[in-house]
Amino acid sequence: MRRSRPWLLVVLVGAVLGVVFAAVSTYDFVQHLDRQVHNLHCSFLPGVSHSGESGCQVAMMSPYSSVLRGRIWGGVPISLPALSVFAFLVFYALDLALTRRKADPRATGFLALAAVLPALASLVMLLISLTQLGTTCKLCVCIYVASALCLVGGVALWRQAVGGRGEPAPARRRRHSEPRGEPAFVGRGHRDPEPRDATRATTGSDARLVALSGGGASAGFLAAAFAIGVGFVAVPVALYLAMAPDHARFIGSCEGLLHPEDPYGVMLRVDRASHDGVPAPAIEVLDPLCPACKAFEHRLAASGLAGRLDRKAVLFPLDSACNWMVTEATHPGACTVSEAALCAGDKAPDVIAWAFEHGEQVRDAARSDPAAAARLVKQRFPELASCVGSPEARSRLNKSLRWIVANNLRVLTPQLFIDKVKLCDEDVDLGLEYTLSAMLARHARGALAVVPAEKPAPGKPAGKAP
């Protein structure tokens, strides 16, 4: 007789690991619903926090980290249904152990099919991480491993159960066939006591019990398990949707543009609206070598909302070589690349796209050699060689910076204004789809406007205690 391997234990271990790491990932996502910046628990050890840029940060801020982003702020994190699926696998694996169905081909086959869901989702997310994000997060890798354990254990347990059905039954059978074990979550009814001379098969294999009982799990058992699995996912998601905070009240609460006109001709056409209907005028303040600007551009493109904007850009290089508002070169070489974009005219989007793609290379080169950015720009765009660095280009860039001053904007990139109303800085990542969709809807109704700041009550000077 073949020795039974503990494949159900493998499934249970994988499912518990999945619950732990999916719960940590969900917690990291949920804590950002207060619109503040928090450390992430990006580690192979649950609970160990990590600050700064990481694969977990990139993954969470990407459009692939959640669904229904246009309905609620941030959307529903995909780690929440993942947590629910792993919790169901723990529940079902324990039920198989308690009801001794681990040798039932139909019951174990359902477990194997249930384990396919997180495994497929993990494979898709791994491909997205490698091909779209260019990085992986440690929490995600742990969830991938947990999914693999569940799948391998589930399939192996099912194959073991199918093989066990072929074992010969004992020569002496029971006088009364043993009733089928009901699932633990359904309950057990009254059973006739077993005759004393009934031969037990527990000393050999649980498969003999299944063979003697005349069949595997009933259709009702499998239907009940499926319904419970759906409930494991649907209930937490429904509660999340119902309890998510309302962020619509923040729309228009950030500063607006005081002087959106362009008297110096420094605005660059980024793209024109491709959506039917009246496009919303938009002005984006950006630094062509800003990593956050590049990430924002990718999120905006993935949201599908860029086509509804008639977008222009105002360059705001965070480089002390030309910007007197910063004390150091946050993005070295940004002044040179900004001059190139201004010189390019209608081809400015090509320069900005090149800067986004090669930004790290340009920044690293300019950090050690300030003239390196000009060489790289002129090498890629030789037609701009005579313009970059000229007094005319520097004058236009200076006027672009003065436009920033005239509108009293923060030293920050990117910033997006829809018809003079700012998309709040807290909404440029997780809340982009929800907030921008709401702003465009209000603009279409003619209701988009800056919300006036609350004034102090009469007789109570601002900033003083009553």
Side-chain angles (χ1 to χ4, degrees), residues 10-27:
V10 174
V11 177
L12 190 58
V13 170
V16 170
L17 288 176
V19 167
V20 171
F21 286 103
V24 172
S25 180
T26 302
Y27 172 79

Side-chain angles (χ1 to χ4, degrees), residues 59-67 69 78 125 128 132-133 302:
M60 189 182 73
M61 295 303 174
S62 75
Y64 309 104
S65 66
S66 59
V67 296
R69 286 195 170 202
I78 59 173
M125 295 308 300
I128 290 175
Q132 302 297 321
L133 305 182

